[in-house]
Amino acid sequence: CLARLAREPSATTITLEGLDPDDVGSLLTAQLGSAGDPGLAATVHDRTAGNPFFVVELSRWMRGGRDLHTVPVPPSVVEVLRTRLARLPAGARPVLELAAVAGREVSLDLLEAAGEPAEEALAALDAAVAAGLVVEGGTPWSWRFTHALVREVLADDLPALRRARLHARLGEAL
């Protein structure tokens, strides 16, 4: 459908971006009834990259005075992210799981040192970039999860023993 639309001369593609921190603050105020802690909007923005759906879903879990740091990834967000992850090619998810255990940003060097062949890691990361799950990181040959929530879902879905083994691989690599 998108390919057919793109051929139409009157079609315009609009690239959507997340809300900026001030707009996240306004949305949180509308959802929670007050502005709350001054750093809350910045923290929510960092965790969601300003995705309005993610901001609203997190705010629902924060009602009643729950601290953002104790709020789990809402089930609705988990399902959206799991669906996006399921669309990745075979072999991409294990690379992203290793990256998730490593942290919000990971370098190709670290993935290689932890046992991921460079070509497989690059293919997985390219697919994740195309799916909007990661972006290029702050340093050359590094990638960053677009939302902390993506990293959280990947890490939380891992059985404890697998997560521990990935931590061990990363520890040895470092």
Side-chain angles (χ1 to χ4, degrees):
C1 182
L2 289 175
R4 286 185 14 219
L5 282 173
R7 289 190 297 267
E8 294 295 322
S10 61
T12 303
T13 301
I14 301 172
T15 303
L16 299 178
E17 295 180 6
L19 302 173
D20 65 32
D22 290 338
D23 290 335
V24 167
S26 297
L27 183 54
L28 286 171
T29 299
Q31 291 293 308
L32 300 173
S34 70
D37 179 287
L40 180 64
T43 303
V44 170
H45 183 270
D46 181 61
R47 196 167 174 200
T48 64
N51 180 310
F53 171 69
F54 293 168
V55 173
V56 168
E57 292 301 300
L58 273 177
S59 70
R60 288 181 180 163
W61 282 79
M62 290 187 313
R63 288 188 183 129
R66 291 179 73 180
D67 178 28
L68 176 65
H69 301 290
T70 63
V71 173
V73 180
S76 55
V77 174
V78 170
E79 290 310 312
V80 166
L81 293 175
R82 281 181 181 155
T83 299
R84 289 173 67 190
L85 289 163
R87 293 183 189 137
L88 294 173
R93 186 164 179 135
V95 173
L96 292 178
E97 289 170 346
L98 180 62
V101 172
R104 182 84 182 266
E105 188 166 324
V106 66
S107 69
L108 180 61
D109 289 342
L110 180 57
L111 293 173
E112 278 186 290
E116 289 298 328
E119 290 305 316
E120 291 176 26
L122 287 171
L125 291 164
D126 285 346
V129 167
L133 298 168
V134 299
V135 294
E136 289 185 21
T139 59
W141 297 101
S142 70
W143 289 262
R144 183 175 199 266
F145 287 100
T146 53
H147 310 94
L149 297 173
V150 175
R151 191 202 65 74
E152 291 174 41
V153 167
L154 280 161
D156 290 347
D157 279 354
L158 290 169
L161 182 57
R162 173 130 170 84
R163 189 174 326 127
R165 291 183 66 143
L166 293 176
H167 273 287
R169 280 175 57 191
L170 289 164
E172 288 173 15
L174 290 170

